[in-house]
Amino acid sequence: AMSNGFLLSMLSPVWRAKLCGEIGINGGKLLNMEREDQSLFSKLVALGCGESVSVGSGKDSPLEELTKLARMADRYQVEAVQGDVEEAVMDRLTLESCGSILTMACGGGLVRLERASRVLARRDFDQFAECA
């Protein structure tokens, strides 16, 4: 999928560094996103532009897709999206979802989600153990 380099540079300092390269070197660069889920990438860019997107329409549940979006937004530092997506995941944080959110958040830079999941699990450990 082709995206406008200027737009991507505005959304993410990571993308800006990859697209612009070193100072004084001419020539446009391509951003290789082949390893990324193209549907998630498109949704991340759309969210960054202020558009609404639907989640959970593919193979992932809405919670799984939101968590993957949060991880991608964190990985590429798309600040316009990070807070809102994390907030949407936090809104779905229950004892039943706590374990899967914790698993998806660990090691993915989603410190706030990881911390909230751990607090909930510790607070209601007996119930959490029954759900897990």
Side-chain angles (χ1 to χ4, degrees), residues 12-15 18 33 36 44 72-78:
S12 163
V14 175
W15 293 334
K18 289 183 178 191
M33 299 296 287
E36 296 293 351
L44 184 63
M72 186 181 282
D74 181 71
R75 182 170 47 255
Y76 294 112
Q77 300 172 21
V78 184

Side-chain angles (χ1 to χ4, degrees), residues 1-4 7-8 11-12 15 31-48 53 65 68-69 72 75-76 78:
M2 295 292 291
S3 294
N4 182 295
L7 171 65
L8 294 176
L11 290 175
S12 163
W15 293 334
L31 183 63
N32 187 348
M33 299 296 287
E34 289 178 8
R35 291 184 177 165
E36 296 293 351
D37 180 313
Q38 294 304 303
S39 174
L40 278 179
F41 174 72
S42 296
K43 287 180 182 185
L44 184 63
V45 172
L47 286 169
V53 299
E65 190 168 356
K68 287 178 180 180
L69 274 169
M72 186 181 282
R75 182 170 47 255
Y76 294 112
V78 184

Side-chain angles (χ1 to χ4, degrees), residues 49-69:
C49 293
E51 295 178 29
S52 296
V53 299
S54 61
V55 292
S57 53
K59 62 179 173 31
D60 294 326
S61 72
L63 179 61
E64 290 169 331
E65 190 168 356
L66 279 170
T67 306
K68 287 178 180 180
L69 274 169

Side-chain angles (χ1 to χ4, degrees), residues 52-126:
S52 296
V53 299
S54 61
V55 292
S57 53
K59 62 179 173 31
D60 294 326
S61 72
L63 179 61
E64 290 169 331
E65 190 168 356
L66 279 170
T67 306
K68 287 178 180 180
L69 274 169
R71 289 178 76 171
M72 186 181 282
D74 181 71
R75 182 170 47 255
Y76 294 112
Q77 300 172 21
V78 184
E79 292 179 10
V81 175
Q82 282 176 290
D84 291 338
V85 174
E86 280 189 25
E87 205 58 49
V89 175
M90 294 282 278
D91 288 346
R92 289 166 170 77
L93 182 60
T94 65
L95 282 173
E96 290 77 23
S97 67
C98 177
S100 61
I101 290 175
L102 184 58
T103 300
M104 288 185 269
C106 282
L110 304 177
V111 177
R112 192 173 86 160
L113 290 175
E114 185 178 341
R115 188 177 307 125
S117 297
R118 289 182 190 280
V119 166
L120 182 62
R122 277 194 300 265
R123 189 187 72 207
D124 297 316
F125 181 76
D126 293 336

